[in-house]
Amino acid sequence: MSDSQTPAGGSLWRRIPLWQKILAGLALGVLTGALLGEDASLFKPLGDIFINAIKMLIVPLVFSTLVVGITAMRDPQKMGRIGARTILLYLLTTAFAIAIGLLASWVFQPGTGLDMSFDSAVEPKEAPGLTEIMVGLVPQNPIDALANGNILQIIVFAIGLGISLTLIGDKGEPVVRVFESFADAMVKLTNIVMAFAPIGVFGLIAHVAGSYGLEVLLPLAKVIGVAYLASALHVLVVYSGLLALLGRLNPLRYLQGILDALVVAYSSASSSGTLPVSLRCARNNLGVSEGVSGFVLPVGATINMDGTAIYQGVVAVFIAQLIGVDLSLADYGMIIVTGTLASIGTAGVPGAGLVMLSIVMSQIGLPLEAIAVIAGIDRILDMARTSVNVAGDLMVTTLVGKSEGELDESVYNARRTS
Ligand code: ASP
């Protein structure tokens, strides 16, 4: 369904492309928050309704499109290749991300010369073990996995079901057709929900902009600036570079194509919550096939968190500077390893990265209490890191799509009109 058919009202409204309306919602939200302060929370329910509506789509959309995508692929070897490329690219970009975060903090020294006290206690977290992760991938009960929204377990079951449906040939046809029709309906529902994105984004941003006064932000302006700068560099240099070098694709088209997902990620601070929007961007704007995007994006929304990795690097070095601890080369190495693991274990929900920061901090012997210093402004950092998390998933999806011949370049290169 095109946006012009969505039930969003008058004709002028219909003529403006959706991405422009979403950006306008964002700008209006910032303005409203700045003018009304705390009172702007009045508009938060608009944002909450929008986020609930997107979350409502995640499980049925991911499950049905993945089953359809796998039955369409009809090649288990190809699945294995896509899986291996996906994981490799996710790990590679995450290591880059954390290194950029470390470098940015090392160059700009956001914590040097700051005087801030902290006293609240924070419980340390444990990095997830590899065996634990592997065992947890297989659901004991797929209905339970669907009900709880356990994306990795849903993916495993959907792959199993998709392969089995292919193997039983004609007998599988009726079920495949049911899934095809269900998946189409979910894509349509995503488009309907997205027509309300400008209003939802407005409500979310008005609330955030109204709740953070300058008195909270200013003392930490430098670390916020460094985290945002490192995030922008990662997207503009690493992602664009990889797309151009490995994919021979124009990065500008990628940046235009992912805009809706970026704004929803920024305002919701949840990459899992943004998943239906990312899937829509991957197919409609980047031209990645259903099979590839239906697999690579949900995996990414669960395990690939480059923005979170950047944040771990920036904040760990910031806190070391704040308390006057000199980090050794081994400490930096340790941050890269534990930061990568911690980012994999971070759930795609608001604030999860802050909790996982304790893994990195305890590994290099920094006091966990220092996390309290940035807890007050974490939402502002979370918005940026979530946007990078989502941008990273979409970049890898594009590259994997291209490498498998599953990227429609006429769609990728087309000028965006909606
Ligand atoms: N909020 C982030 C996300 O959903 C995770 C984090 O807190 O780092 O991607």
Side-chain angles (χ1 to χ4, degrees), residues 43-85:
F43 298 107
K44 187 168 177 277
L46 292 175
D48 291 341
I49 292 174
F50 172 63
I51 292 299
N52 283 354
I54 301 196
K55 285 189 178 161
M56 160 182 94
L57 298 163
I58 300 173
V59 169
L61 182 68
V62 167
F63 186 52
S64 58
T65 54
L66 193 51
V67 172
V68 172
I70 286 165
T71 51
M73 223 177 281
R74 292 175 188 277
D75 182 356
Q77 258 185 354
K78 186 166 177 169
M79 271 309 300
R81 224 174 31 234
I82 290 176
R85 284 189 181 157

Side-chain angles (χ1 to χ4, degrees), residues 50-62 65 151 186-191 193-194 260-261 264 268 270-284 293 297-298 301 390 394:
F50 172 63
I51 292 299
N52 283 354
I54 301 196
K55 285 189 178 161
M56 160 182 94
L57 298 163
I58 300 173
V59 169
L61 182 68
V62 167
T65 54
I151 294 291
M186 285 302 113
V187 169
K188 191 155 213 155
L189 190 51
T190 309
N191 290 343
V193 170
M194 278 306 286
D260 306 352
V264 172
S268 69
S270 169
S271 38
S272 293
T274 310
L275 190 50
V277 189
S278 310
L279 283 163
R280 185 176 184 272
C281 286
R283 284 170 205 162
N284 294 3
S293 57
L297 282 174
V390 167
L394 281 158

